């Protein structure tokens, strides 16, 4: 690790440069390790699972991991956008639920085609976003509390209209709708294709467009962004509506796969989506939420869950280990950083 | 909670604020959350004579005690870390820690362990969660939201594993006396909650340590410049909150006569709701321990009232959601108006 120490007999002028070079090197190694500490942990886990569970590296298992986490990835991407704008969205579960629920109702009770049902689902999700945006932009409620309120209201609406959470089945859904989950495009499962398209859209929006720069600016310093002439309210409305419409898509995929809608099922994606966003942010130089990092965060969660599953551990023990690994991995990802993680602060 | 509202408001749309500026409306706005609660209670008292009977009130006190104790713990962390929910202080792992305590306590009691030993084991586990949170935030440097989110996942998983994800029914004389007993007609869980209220309020509002803790949460950099170490106070607040969670786990074990898996999710939402609704009851619109506990009590009372009026139980969630929005929106409007 350490470079050779300069000999004491050397001229004094040489010593500082040598030690400077050394410290620059060690700092660089340190930077790389601390920035990519999470990637190293990720690969360590992948290698461990590959050694302990033969099926892990099977191509079909790897496709399984991707397919099983496409829904989470879409939700986490939407969360990335919201967190980048300085907010948080606790109601993504509601938008997921509403997307699938309204799509099924549109097809079952109103005989709409699958494409219109898709549109209805996305619009239903967007409506959740409109409510959030109104509360946050108009009434100046903080995103955490506004979306918490939306969560209570949305959960209640689902319970009222499904008699307390009864499933809404639709066995006769058209094959085209069903193929949103079960089909394949050029041999790649549709879910992965949809998640990839969403990923590209979010990448271009958030990291390759002036709008993304402005959204990041709002997230970093809202008052400065406002003074610089950025239309903060307009962007916030867009962020919350677009994010909710996006996650509605994952709800639609879920219902297409199960041929039924299970009320309140979206909540389970919330914590994982937040975790993935922050894992991703830990790898960014300025610790900002970013699309590539979120993708890596989702893959990490997926790989750990899949690997522990393949090792044949008890279901309850697996849940415990997953949680403990998440704590450890986050601790490692953020450890040894001089700046506090508050840089991702919102 | 405290957004820089004035600067970001476009000058073309100040209608809402102008409306809020007339003196009468201003007073109305300032007292709006209390008014909403008062009107709802009058409505309930008129709708059902049973609502104001001591039997019902003591049942509400009994039921709301665990939520109130957890909300008090959360209020301490919010006070020490600042009320910006995402970057400031928050401990969402409290209900999970309390549930872990319930699990260990129930499991040990059912296996014939003496109460004191079972209680010590449960307390050790719950406090360990508090220490873990403190370490993750202060040593590792995670934001409190992220750190306690991660420990929530870990603790919920651990609880499932420890108790095998099953319902445990406890029939212990001490636990039963907490559940059914009264002191001077006041239910024992409410006495526990009152004790927590007195201890935590005194600690935060009447000691030098508490004032410094408030200072470091109120303005981190100002506290640092004055020679305080905000991290120290934040760490202490996580441990203090976990002590509240220990008390909550006893009361929760009594309320449920043991453990029902999955109670932590409902507790989480109610705890957050109570704590931040409680801010509306303080003069400066900040989260306080008494406010949080009052919030828990009022939210529970509303639920009970709706039940007495035969309102569909599924609609209670809707009422809670609307309530939190009314309270928080009026606080935000008023804060923007005061500047």
């Amino acid at each position: 690790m350490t470079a050779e120490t300069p000999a004491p007999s050397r001229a004094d002028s040489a010593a500082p440069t040598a030690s400077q070079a050394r410290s620059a090197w060690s700092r660089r190694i340190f930077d790389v390790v601390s920035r990519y500490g999470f990637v190293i942990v990720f690969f360590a886990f992948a290698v461990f699972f590959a050694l302990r569970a033969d099926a892990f590296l099977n191509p079909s298992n790897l496709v399984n991991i991707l397919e099983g986490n496409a829904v989470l990835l879409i939700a986490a991407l939407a969360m990335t956008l919201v967190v980048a704008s300085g907010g948080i969205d606790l109601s993504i579960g509601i938008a997921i639920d509403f997307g699938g629920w309204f799509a099924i109702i549109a097809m079952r009770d109103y005989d709409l085609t699958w494409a219109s049902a898709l549109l209805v689902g996305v619009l239903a999700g967007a409506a959740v976003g409109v409510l959030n945006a109104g509360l946050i932009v108009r009434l100046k409620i903080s995103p955490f509390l506004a979306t918490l309120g939306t969560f209570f209201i949305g959960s209640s609406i689902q319970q009222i209209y499904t008699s307390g959470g009864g499933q809404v089945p639709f066995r006769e859904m058209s094959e085209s709708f069903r193929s949103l989950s079960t089909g394949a495009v050029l041999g790649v499962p549709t879910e992965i294709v949809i998640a990839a398209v969403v990923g590209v859209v979010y990448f271009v929006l958030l990291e390759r467009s002036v709008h993304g720069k402005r959204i990041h600016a709002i997230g970093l310093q809202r008052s400065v962004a406002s003074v610089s002439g950025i239309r903060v309210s307009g962007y916030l409305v867009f962020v919350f509506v677009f994010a909710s419409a996006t996650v509605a898509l994952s709800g639609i995929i879920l219902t297409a796969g199960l041929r039924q809608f299970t009320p309140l099922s979206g909540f389970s994606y919330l914590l994982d989506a937040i975790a993935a966003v922050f894992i991703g942010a830990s790898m960014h130089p300025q610790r900002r939420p970013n699309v590539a990092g979120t993708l890596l965060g989702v893959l990490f969660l997926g790989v750990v869950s899949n690997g522990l599953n393949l090792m044949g551990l008890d279901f309850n023990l697996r849940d415990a280990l997953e949680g403990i690994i998440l704590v450890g991995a986050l601790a490692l990802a953020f450890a040894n950083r001089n700046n506090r993680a508050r840089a991702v602060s919102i | 909670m405290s957004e820089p509202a004035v600067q970001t408001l476009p000058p073309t749309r100040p209608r809402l604020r102008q409306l809020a500026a007339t003196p009468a409306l201003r007073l109305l706005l300032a007292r709006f959350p209390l008014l909403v609660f008062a009107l709802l209670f009058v409505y309930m008292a008129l709708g059902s004579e049973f609502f104001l009977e001591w039997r019902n009130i003591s049942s509400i006190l009994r039921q709301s005690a665990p939520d109130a104790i957890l909300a008090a713990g959360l209020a301490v962390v919010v006070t020490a870390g600042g009320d910006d929910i995402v970057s400031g202080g928050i401990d969402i792992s409290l209900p999970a820690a309390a549930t872990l305590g319930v699990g260990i306590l129930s499991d040990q009691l059912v296996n014939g362990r003496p109460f004191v030993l079972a209680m010590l084991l449960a307390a050790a586990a719950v406090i360990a969660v508090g220490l873990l949170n403190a370490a993750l935030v202060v040593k590792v440097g995670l934001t409190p939201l992220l750190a306690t989110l991660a420990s929530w996942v870990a603790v919920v998983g651990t609880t499932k594993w420890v108790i095998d994800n099953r319902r445990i029914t406890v029939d212990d004389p001490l636990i039963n006396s907490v559940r059914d007993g009264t002191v001077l007609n006041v239910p024992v869980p409410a006495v526990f909650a009152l004790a927590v209220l007195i201890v935590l309020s005194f600690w935060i509002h009447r000691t030098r340590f508490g004032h410094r803790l408030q200072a470091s949460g109120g303005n981190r950099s100002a506290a640092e410049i004055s020679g305080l170490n905000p991290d120290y106070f934040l760490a202490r607040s996580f441990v203090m909150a976990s002590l509240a969670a220990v008390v909550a786990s006893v009361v929760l074990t009594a309320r449920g006569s043991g453990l029902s898996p999955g109670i932590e999710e409902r507790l989480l939402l109610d705890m957050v709701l109570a704590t931040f609704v409680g801010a509306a009851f303080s003069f400066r619109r900040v989260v306080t321990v008494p406010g949080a506990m009052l919030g828990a009590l009022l939210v529970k009372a509303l639920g009970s009232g709706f039940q007495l009026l035969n309102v569909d139980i599924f609609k209670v969630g809707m009422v809670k959601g609307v309530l939190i929005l009314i309270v928080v929106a009026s606080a935000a409007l008023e804060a923007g108006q005061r500047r």
Side-chain angles (χ1 to χ4, degrees), chain A residues 2 16 25 42 134 138 142 144 190 218 231 237 259 267 277 291 308 314 330 335 339:
Chain A
T2 49
W25 259 106
F42 186 9
R138 269 309 177 91
S142 75
F144 187 95
T190 327
I218 293 169
R231 283 191 52 233
V237 170
R259 286 193 288 188
F267 181 71
V277 170
V291 169
L308 291 176
D314 169 55
L330 279 174
N339 306 336

Side-chain angles (χ1 to χ4, degrees), chain A residues 314-345:
Chain A
D314 169 55
F315 180 78
N316 293 320
L317 175 61
R318 209 184 70 202
D319 273 10
L321 280 179
E322 263 185 60
I324 292 164
I325 289 170
L326 179 65
V327 171
L330 279 174
L332 212 116
F334 279 94
N336 302 324
R337 290 299 207 61
N338 294 328
N339 306 336
R340 294 180 62 89
R342 285 162 200 278
V344 243
S345 79

Side-chain angles (χ1 to χ4, degrees), chain B residues 86-159:
Chain B
V86 181
S87 63
I90 191 163
D91 185 351
I92 63 169
S93 72
L94 276 176
T99 309
L100 176 65
V102 174
I104 293 175
L105 186 59
S106 312
D107 188 52
Q108 294 292 316
L109 287 176
V110 165
N111 288 331
R113 214 52 81 89
F115 183 84
V116 176
L117 200 60
M119 196 58 240
L120 280 178
L121 273 173
V126 176
I127 294 169
V129 177
L131 290 171
L132 172 71
N133 287 332
L136 285 175
V137 171
V138 172
K139 296 283 178 208
V140 179
L142 296 178
T143 53
L145 179 66
L146 182 59
T148 57
L149 174 76
S151 61
W152 159 279
V153 177
V155 173
V156 168
T158 309
T159 310

Side-chain angles (χ1 to χ4, degrees), chain A:
Chain A
M1 285 289 279
T2 49
E4 53 177 321
T5 37
S9 61
R10 271 197 199 160
D12 284 0
S13 59
T17 44
S19 76
Q20 261 170 14
R22 185 188 56 189
S23 67
W25 259 106
S26 62
R27 200 179 312 134
R28 236 174 115 178
I29 291 171
F30 180 76
D31 274 357
V32 168
V33 169
S34 63
R35 182 170 166 196
Y36 294 106
F38 200 85
V39 184
I40 297 166
V41 178
F42 186 9
F43 276 101
F45 267 105
V47 169
F48 174 73
F49 288 135
L51 292 175
R52 290 299 299 271
D54 296 333
F56 181 75
L57 280 184
N58 222 324
S60 70
N61 184 53
L62 295 179
V63 173
N64 265 346
I65 296 179
L66 288 178
E67 199 176 351
N69 289 288
V71 167
L72 174 61
L73 177 60
I74 296 173
L77 285 169
M79 188 64 87
T80 311
L81 180 68
V82 176
V83 175
S85 79
I88 195 155
D89 189 349
L90 301 183
S91 66
I92 58 164
I94 300 300
I96 292 176
D97 293 336
F98 275 32
W101 190 22
F102 279 75
I104 277 206
I105 288 177
M107 286 184 299
R108 195 186 64 177
D109 300 348
Y110 295 94
D111 270 336
L112 294 187
T113 60
W114 72 272
S116 347
L118 187 71
L119 188 66
V120 169
V122 170
L123 286 178
V128 176
V130 169
L131 175 61
N132 285 334
L135 294 170
I136 292 161
V137 173
R138 269 309 177 91
L139 295 180
K140 312 272 171 236
I141 303 178
S142 75
F144 187 95
L145 292 172
T147 55
L148 184 69
T150 307
F151 170 81
F152 274 113
I153 296 170
S155 308
S156 180
I157 289 175
Q158 292 180 52
Q159 287 185 319
I160 293 168
Y161 291 101
T162 59
S163 332
Q167 285 162 347
V168 183
F170 184 49
R171 297 279 151 209
E172 301 81 30
M173 64 173 53
S174 72
E175 270 313 305
S176 329
F177 186 78
R178 201 158 148 61
S179 69
L180 285 175
S181 168
T182 54
V185 178
L186 301 173
V188 184
T190 327
E191 283 164 286
I192 300 178
V193 175
I194 296 175
V197 170
V198 173
V200 170
V201 168
Y202 269 77
F203 179 77
V204 172
L205 170 69
L206 205 51
E207 281 158 47
R208 289 291 179 273
S209 79
V210 64
H211 303 295
K213 288 233 163 22
R214 289 177 185 158
I215 289 169
H216 274 297
I218 293 169
L220 276 166
Q221 270 284 19
R222 190 161 154 181
S223 38
V224 172
S226 176
V227 170
S228 324
I230 296 174
R231 283 191 52 233
V232 174
S233 307
Y235 274 105
L236 286 182
V237 170
F238 165 77
V239 162
F240 279 93
V241 174
F242 192 68
S244 292
T246 311
V247 291
L249 206 56
S250 54
I252 292 168
I253 295 174
L254 276 178
T255 45
L258 296 168
R259 286 193 288 188
Q260 68 176 23
F261 162 66
T262 313
L264 309 178
S265 53
F267 181 71
S268 59
Y269 292 94
L270 174 64
L271 297 183
D272 281 349
I274 296 177
V277 170
F278 280 91
I279 288 172
S282 79
M283 278 171 280
H284 190 269
Q286 277 91 45
R287 263 173 283 147
R288 296 292 302 160
N290 64 99
V291 169
T294 299
L295 172 66
L296 208 61
V298 168
L299 285 180
F300 175 76
L301 295 173
V303 161
V304 167
S305 160
N306 175 274
L308 291 176
N309 208 0
L310 287 182
M311 283 171 66
L313 296 176
D314 169 55
F315 180 78
N316 293 320
L317 175 61
R318 209 184 70 202
D319 273 10
L321 280 179
E322 263 185 60
I324 292 164
I325 289 170
L326 179 65
V327 171
L330 279 174
L332 212 116
F334 279 94
N336 302 324
R337 290 299 207 61
N338 294 328
N339 306 336
R340 294 180 62 89
R342 285 162 200 278
V344 243
S345 79
I346 289 174

